[in-house]
């Protein structure tokens, strides 16, 4: 199927062990808390398998996925059911030991995107880097927070990101991706911290039905036309990278 999402982000746990000034975790709390139940994760993967999904899969929203006790099992299941999928792990690296890094490769991670954030004292991943060989580093993209294109996260943060008005700019992110929250709710964009544009729940309606719902199609159409003002999480968003 060529007209569905190319990227799926799954919030396997709500927590993060950092609260960076450029992240909503520094000023607010996630409205959903806890760890994703295995039956929710399994349902998502099963439905992606039925769609022959071969896009990008990651395990984040505003969380640190290495805090999840189920991370290795979840990645292993995803790799088994979705052999063509690119499994990407976005992490702050504070808990990513060399041993865990290697276990995650064996479980099925295709790429690590490790970001060293502000105030990362006694940084674990710097020790890990010293222990990895060149073959193991092929799986790694390593960056600092200064290399991130910051945004105001759907208007949640003041004074973060560009000051150019995006009020009537089209946004195509909802055409490409979706996020499933820790409780199984689907939102069209990773900027929607407060889940204002919630489209349905995976335990009540299938991903494909949610994606093809009139509500979701209207949302994507409006964003294509630059009608950000129709939606609370979009009208103040200053993200310029919209593809």
């Amino acid at each position: 199927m060529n007209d569905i999402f190319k990227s799926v982000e799954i919030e396997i746990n709500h927590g993060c062990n950092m609260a960076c000034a450029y992240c909503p975790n520094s000023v607010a709390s996630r409205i959903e808390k806890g760890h994703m139940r295995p039956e929710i994760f399994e349902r998502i993967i099963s439905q992606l398998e039925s769609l022959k999904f071969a896009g990008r899969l990651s395990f984040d929203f505003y969380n640190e996925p290495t805090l999840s006790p189920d991370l290795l099992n979840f990645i292993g299941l995803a790799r088994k059911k979705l052999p063509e999928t690119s499994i990407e792990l976005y992490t702050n690296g504070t808990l990513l030991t060399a041993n865990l890094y290697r276990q995650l490769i064996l479980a099925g991670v295709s790429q690590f995107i490790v970001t060293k954030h502000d105030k990362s004292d006694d940084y674990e991943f710097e020790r890990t880097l010293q222990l990895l060989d060149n073959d193991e580093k092929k799986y790694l993209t390593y960056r600092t927070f200064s290399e991130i294109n910051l945004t105001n996260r759907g208007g949640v943060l003041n004074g973060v990101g560009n000051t150019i008005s995006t009020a009537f700019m089209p946004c195509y992110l909802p055409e490409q991706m979706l996020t499933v929250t820790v409780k199984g709710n689907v939102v069209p964009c990773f900027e929607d911290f407060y889940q204002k544009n919630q489209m349905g729940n995976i335990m009540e309606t299938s991903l494909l039905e949610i994606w093809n719902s009139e509500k979701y199609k209207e949302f994507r159409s409006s964003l294509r036309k630059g009608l950000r003002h129709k939606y609370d999480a979009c009208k103040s968003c200053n993200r310029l990278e919209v593809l």
Side-chain angles (χ1 to χ4, degrees):
M1 303 181 68
N2 297 319
D3 57 348
I4 64 167
F5 40 86
K6 305 298 188 295
S7 177
V8 176
E9 300 182 344
I10 305 175
E11 182 188 33
I12 59 173
N13 59 292
H14 92 277
C16 184
N17 57 350
M18 301 189 75
C20 304
Y22 40 85
C23 174
N25 286 324
S26 65
V27 298
S29 297
R30 284 284 294 117
I31 63 175
E32 295 182 17
K33 294 179 171 61
H35 296 280
M36 178 171 278
R37 301 199 318 269
E39 57 264 36
I40 297 178
F41 187 84
E42 289 164 9
R43 180 169 293 195
I44 297 167
I45 298 303
S46 177
Q47 292 185 17
L48 291 176
E49 181 184 24
S50 71
L51 294 170
K52 296 181 172 56
F53 181 72
R56 181 182 71 87
L57 182 66
S58 62
F59 304 92
D60 56 282
F61 188 20
Y62 288 92
N63 58 308
E64 170 49 49
T66 58
L67 289 170
S68 169
D70 295 308
L71 179 59
L72 283 166
N73 289 335
F74 283 173
I75 289 175
L77 178 65
R79 174 53 68 219
K80 178 181 178 181
K81 299 289 187 179
L82 306 170
E84 303 301 318
T85 294
S86 176
I87 297 178
E88 300 182 3
L89 187 71
Y90 288 79
T91 173
N92 59 33
T94 56
L95 303 174
L96 192 55
T97 63
N99 182 53
L100 179 57
Y101 185 96
R102 289 165 180 148
Q103 288 184 71
L104 288 164
I105 292 174
L106 291 174
V109 169
S110 307
Q111 185 74 15
F112 296 83
I113 298 88
V114 180
T115 305
K116 183 178 182 180
H117 290 286
D118 191 16
K119 300 178 181 178
S120 294
D121 300 323
D122 190 28
Y123 189 46
E124 179 64 42
F125 195 67
E126 287 183 346
R127 289 187 284 273
T128 297
L129 269 177
Q130 301 301 314
L131 299 173
L132 300 179
D133 61 34
N134 289 334
D135 284 338
E136 291 167 330
K137 289 179 182 178
K138 290 177 182 177
Y139 296 90
L140 174 65
T141 297
Y142 184 43
R143 63 188 183 181
T144 66
F145 72 94
S146 62
E147 298 173 76
I148 304 171
N149 292 322
L150 300 177
T151 73
N152 63 14
R153 293 305 202 176
V156 176
L157 301 172
N158 294 319
V160 178
N162 76 81
T163 57
I164 300 171
S165 175
T166 60
F168 299 102
M169 286 182 60
C171 180
Y172 301 100
L173 281 175
E175 307 273 354
Q176 304 295 323
M177 57 83 63
L178 57 80
T179 296
V180 186
T181 70
V182 74
K183 301 298 184 184
N185 292 304
V186 175
V187 292
C189 181
F190 50 76
E191 299 283 13
D192 193 357
F193 181 79
Y194 289 118
Q195 300 172 216
K196 293 182 177 180
N197 296 319
Q198 201 160 285
M199 295 293 164
N201 188 283
I202 189 66
M203 301 303 284
E204 300 167 358
T205 313
S206 73
L207 269 178
L208 190 59
E209 288 175 305
I210 293 172
W211 178 259
N212 287 327
S213 67
E214 291 304 315
K215 179 181 180 180
Y216 212 149
K217 288 192 286 189
E218 172 62 23
F219 180 82
R220 294 195 297 269
S221 175
S222 295
L223 269 290
R224 278 198 304 272
K225 297 172 183 175
L227 304 178
R228 298 187 185 209
H229 65 278
K230 292 177 61 175
Y231 304 98
D232 286 344
C234 305
K235 62 185 180 183
S236 300
C237 179
N238 64 355
R239 173 168 285 275
L240 291 175
E241 299 79 21
V242 295
L243 289 175

